[in-house]
């Protein structure tokens, strides 16, 4: 039974990846940072099947000990300070975790077992003020946030350890991917949750920032399969993962509200507090290399993704109302 370690097990992607790896017969070890409250909601249904250990990307020693005890063959680094606006408020923390955290793991792999296959969760946020449309593995980066800058570091240190120490170190450049498990502060989940609360009479408005920015949104469940495929490939490489379609925040609103028989224009208020100091205006992937070399393609389309998220929040909030 192969063993995989996942950092960021408590996050959206960690939960989907754990499900996928369990279905493939892996022994899954998830790393979660110590907290004074319960943070394992997203993997609560898996707790009898996975092992959760404490570890923090600030602390290299915790990874050395893990390798000794669990002898993994694969390591997925999904942990990060991943919310872009927070990266302007906490830029050095974002650099410590999202950038230097990657080096801490690579160093641990290099010294403990350089045969461990390593996946780094890189991001389309690295393209920032895009220099090419669509963006592929060869498009230059122009990050627009401390988060984007930190991810560029993580991307290049992964390539550098691949080339310097012959590690099987892969960088997956994933475009935005969403699901009912997405954090509530990200715009798609904020909209889905807002629609459900408006529909069920709990609130009357939804305050958003820039409605014109465009994102290439896919379903997180599809994207964790791409991560796994990258580590099964014959060579370590960089891969862009996205849908090849882009949509505005405004379109997301239109579809989400219409799915609940609501007119978005009656409820959405543009609030400048949610504008960013520097925006990423458009992201659009060219995922053709992943299709060719990994046989990967997205299964859930944009409209179905929006409806899935709204349906899930409607059900969740209906239950909350019924139990209150
Ligand atoms: P997420 O839901 O925000 O999860 C982030 C995870 O990182 C959480 O488990 C969090 O733990 C953990 N974490 C944060 N700081 C940590 C630290 N110091 N030590 C250990 N763990 C720490 O993010 P996601 O959407 O699943 O994304 C997974 C990865 O892919 C992230 O690296 C993200 O930057 C990257 N990415 C995401 C997207 C996307 O659209 N979702 C696109 C491209 C790249 P807590 O629960 O304790 O906070
Ligand atoms: O949902 P968002 O916060 O995601 P963003 O900034 O694109 O970052 C996500 O995707 C990256 C991949 O490209 C990941 F690396 C990163 O970790 C994260 O998962 O914002 C999307 C867009 C932005 O243009 C933002 O300005 O939505 C716009 N927006 C408009 N109103 C809003 C809001 N974003 C948020 N979070 N909240 C708003 O009220």
């Amino acid at each position: 039974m192969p063993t995989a370690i996942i950092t960021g097990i408590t996050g959206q992607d960690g939960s989907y990846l754990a499900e996928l790896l369990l279905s493939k017969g892996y022994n899954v070890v998830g790393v979660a940072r110590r907290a004074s409250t319960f943070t394992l909601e997203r993997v609560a249904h898996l707790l009898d099947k996975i092992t959760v250990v404490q570890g923090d990307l600030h602390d290299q020693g915790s990874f050395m000990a893990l390798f000794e005890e669990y002898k993994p063959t694969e390591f997925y680094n999904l942990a990060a300070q991943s919310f872009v606006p927070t990266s302007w408020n906490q830029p050095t923390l974002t650099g410590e975790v999202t950038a230097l955290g990657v080096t801490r793991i690579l160093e641990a792999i290099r010294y403990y077992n350089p045969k461990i296959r390593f996946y780094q969760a890189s991001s389309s946020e690295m393209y920032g003020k895009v220099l090419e449309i669509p963006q592929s593995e060869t498009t230059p980066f122009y990050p627009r946030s401390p988060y984007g800058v930190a991810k560029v570091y993580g991307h290049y240190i992964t390539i550098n350890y691949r080339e310097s120490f012959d590690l099987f170190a892969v960088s997956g450049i994933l475009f935005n991917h969403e699901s009912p498990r997405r954090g509530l502060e990200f715009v798609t989940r904020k909209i889905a949750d807002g629609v459900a609360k408006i529909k069920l009479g709990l609130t009357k408005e939804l305050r958003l920032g820039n409605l014109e920015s465009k994102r290439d949104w896919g379903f997180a469940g599809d994207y964790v399969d791409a991560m796994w495929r990258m580590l099964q490939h014959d060579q370590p490489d960089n891969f862009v993962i996205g849908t090849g379609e882009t949509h505005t925040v405004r379109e997301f609103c239109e579809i989400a509200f219409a799915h609940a028989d609501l007119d978005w224009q009656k409820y959405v208020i543009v609030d400048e507090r949610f504008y960013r100091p520097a925006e990423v205006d458009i992201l659009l992937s060219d995922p053709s290399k992943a299709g060719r070399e990994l046989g990967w393609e997205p299964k859930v389309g944009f409209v179905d993704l929006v409806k899935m998220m709204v349906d899930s929040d409607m059900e969740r909030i209906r239950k909350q109302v019924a139990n209150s």
Side-chain angles (χ1 to χ4, degrees), residues 302-319:
F302 177 65
V303 173
D304 287 341
L305 173 66
V306 179
K307 290 179 178 172
M308 176 204 300
M309 292 179 71
V310 172
D311 288 343
S312 166
D313 274 322
M314 290 284 263
E315 193 186 327
R316 179 178 63 86
I317 291 171
R318 247 191 218 113
K319 276 188 196 148

Side-chain angles (χ1 to χ4, degrees), residues 4-252:
I5 294 185
I6 304 174
T7 67
I9 191 81
T10 60
Q12 171 189 255
D13 291 6
S15 67
Y16 284 108
L17 182 62
E19 284 172 3
L20 178 83
L21 296 181
L22 286 171
S23 76
K24 291 184 183 296
Y26 280 73
N27 176 30
V28 174
V29 178
V31 181
R33 54 185 169 161
R34 192 253 160 203
S36 64
T37 51
F38 184 73
T39 59
L40 296 168
E41 286 89 355
R42 290 187 178 104
V43 285
H45 60 298
L46 303 176
L47 288 178
D48 57 342
K49 301 187 193 79
I50 64 175
T51 305
V52 179
V53 293
Q54 275 186 14
D56 195 302
L57 256 63
H58 288 97
D59 183 61
Q60 195 172 2
S62 43
F63 297 106
M64 299 278 202
L66 281 186
F67 292 164
E68 195 63 56
E69 186 166 357
Y70 295 102
K71 307 206 171 359
T73 50
E74 295 177 14
F75 192 112
Y76 296 84
N77 180 34
L78 308 187
Q81 189 304 94
S82 75
F83 190 48
V84 172
T86 296
S87 75
W88 278 287
N89 300 333
Q90 300 181 11
T92 47
L93 178 137
T94 301
E96 276 291 341
V97 176
T98 306
L100 283 179
V102 187
T103 313
R104 293 189 183 104
I105 295 169
L106 286 166
E107 277 286 281
I109 290 177
R110 176 185 163 209
Y111 282 106
Y112 174 72
N113 178 2
K115 296 239 170 313
I116 295 171
R117 294 189 168 205
F118 172 77
Y119 173 84
Q120 166 58 12
S122 294
S123 166
S124 52
E125 184 74 12
M126 300 189 301
Y127 296 118
K129 192 170 180 180
V130 298
L131 296 172
E132 193 173 63
I133 299 175
Q135 297 88 47
S136 73
E137 292 80 3
T138 55
T139 303
F141 301 128
Y142 190 153
R144 295 274 277 173
S145 62
Y147 168 81
V149 173
K151 282 289 180 186
V152 171
Y153 175 93
H155 173 74
Y156 279 121
I157 201 72
T158 299
I159 294 172
N160 181 260
Y161 271 58
R162 181 198 302 161
E163 294 175 354
S164 305
F165 305 117
D166 206 21
L167 298 190
F168 195 104
V170 163
S171 176
I173 307 173
L174 272 52
F175 283 62
N176 297 52
H177 45 281
E178 318 294 314
S179 74
R181 299 182 197 168
R182 187 59 143 150
L184 279 162
E185 70 272 56
F186 297 92
V187 76
T188 55
R189 185 75 198 287
K190 187 174 168 182
I191 295 169
D193 175 73
V195 166
K197 286 185 174 141
I198 290 169
K199 184 71 183 175
L200 298 172
L202 301 185
T203 184
K204 290 186 174 22
E205 62 179 39
L206 175 62
R207 290 183 172 266
L208 297 174
N210 180 10
L211 301 184
E212 306 314 323
S213 65
K214 292 180 149 186
R215 289 292 182 275
D216 178 334
W217 279 298
F219 172 54
D222 291 343
Y223 286 42
V224 298
D225 174 52
M227 297 175 188
W228 176 78
R229 285 172 190 251
M230 285 180 219
L231 288 200
Q232 315 316 307
H233 199 45
D234 48 3
Q235 293 295 328
D237 207 341
N238 314 318
F239 290 96
V240 159
I241 300 297
T243 68
E245 264 184 46
T246 191
H247 299 274
T248 57
V249 173
R250 180 188 297 270
E251 281 174 83
F252 197 104

Side-chain angles (χ1 to χ4, degrees), residues 287-297:
S288 53
K289 179 176 169 183
R292 231 176 18 252
E293 297 192 20
L294 304 176
W296 179 85
E297 59 181 30

